[in-house]
Amino acid sequence: LSEQVERLCTEYTDQDILIGSSFGGLAVWKYAQTQHSTFNIQYSTMLRGIVLIDVLPSLQSFPRWRKLGMKLATHLPHRLVQPVYTAYRMAVGERGNSKTPKKLKDSVATILQRIQSIENGFPSSRFPVPTLVLSTNGSFHQQWLELSHTIDVLTAHKKTDPSQQIRDWLATNLN
C-alpha cells in the first residue's frame, strides 16, 4: 500500500479527481490523507475529490475467514495451494484482467503481501476532500452508508452504473 501511495505521489499531476478501485482505492484514499496532512497549498487547490470503488470501509471489514485462510496457506505446499486458490478466484469471478501477468494474477504470495500492507497502513476514517464510494458488496455498502451519515464530505451508493453515478456526483458536489 505504501508503494502505491508513493507511486501516486510521484505520478500525480493536476487532475481534479482521483479514482481507485479495491486495493487501488485504498491507495487513493491514503494518498489524499497523506497529501492533505502536509498542508500543501498547491495540492489542496488541485485535488477536488476522490472516488472509491469496492473499497473496504474499515480494517475490521476484511473478511476474517479469508484472512485466516490466506495465512493458513503459507504453511501448505505452494503446488497444492496455488491451484486451489486459482480455482476459487475463477469461481467467484475475481481473476485479474487479461493484461495482468499470470504469475501476479493468482499469486497467493502477492495476496498475502497486500493483506499485510493493508493491515500496516489502512487509511483513517478521515476524508480531506469530497469522496464518493460505490460498492457492490452489501455489507461494505451498509458500513459506508452509516459513515456517510456522520461525515459531510462522504457520499455512498450501491454500485449500479458507475459512469452515470460519478457524473451525477460530480455535478452535485463539485460545481
Side-chain angles (χ1 to χ4, degrees):
L1 187 58
S2 61
E3 289 174 14
Q4 292 293 322
V5 173
E6 285 177 31
R7 185 175 297 139
L8 281 169
C9 288
T10 60
E11 295 178 7
Y12 177 78
T13 56
D14 61 352
Q15 294 89 354
D16 287 347
I17 308 297
L18 287 177
I19 299 174
S21 176
S22 190
F23 188 75
L26 288 175
V28 164
W29 181 10
K30 184 81 172 180
Y31 168 80
Q33 290 178 341
T34 302
Q35 292 300 306
H36 191 266
S37 69
T38 63
F39 301 106
N40 183 335
I41 294 171
Q42 183 181 12
Y43 163 81
S44 64
T45 60
M46 290 191 303
L47 186 63
R48 296 178 49 218
I50 60 175
V51 178
L52 308 176
I53 301 173
D54 292 325
V55 173
L56 289 169
S58 70
L59 194 52
Q60 293 74 30
S61 301
F62 191 82
R64 187 172 172 81
W65 66 268
R66 195 174 206 183
K67 184 174 160 183
L68 291 172
M70 294 305 292
K71 288 191 178 188
L72 174 65
T74 63
H75 301 290
L76 299 172
H78 181 74
R79 69 182 189 288
L80 172 68
V81 173
Q82 193 63 56
V84 171
Y85 182 67
T86 300
Y88 161 76
R89 291 195 65 194
M90 289 175 67
V92 298
E94 291 184 3
R95 189 139 187 194
N97 64 40
S98 61
K99 294 180 181 179
T100 306
K102 179 157 179 42
K103 67 180 182 178
L104 296 178
K105 208 183 285 187
D106 302 314
S107 169
V108 171
T110 300
I111 299 302
L112 287 170
Q113 287 175 334
R114 284 188 176 177
I115 291 170
Q116 187 63 47
S117 73
I118 289 169
E119 290 174 342
N120 292 339
F122 199 87
S124 67
S125 59
R126 208 171 39 81
F127 297 89
V129 294
T131 302
L132 170 65
V133 179
L134 303 175
S135 300
T136 54
N137 179 302
S139 173
F140 291 178
H141 172 64
Q142 187 58 42
Q143 291 173 53
W144 280 116
L145 201 55
E146 290 170 14
L147 276 173
S148 73
H149 294 307
T150 60
I151 301 171
D152 290 340
V153 297
L154 181 64
T155 304
H157 292 293
K158 193 91 162 139
K159 185 172 91 172
T160 55
D161 180 357
S163 296
Q164 187 60 51
Q165 289 172 298
I166 292 169
R167 280 193 298 273
D168 292 347
W169 176 76
L170 288 171
T172 304
N173 293 279
L174 300 179
N175 288 332

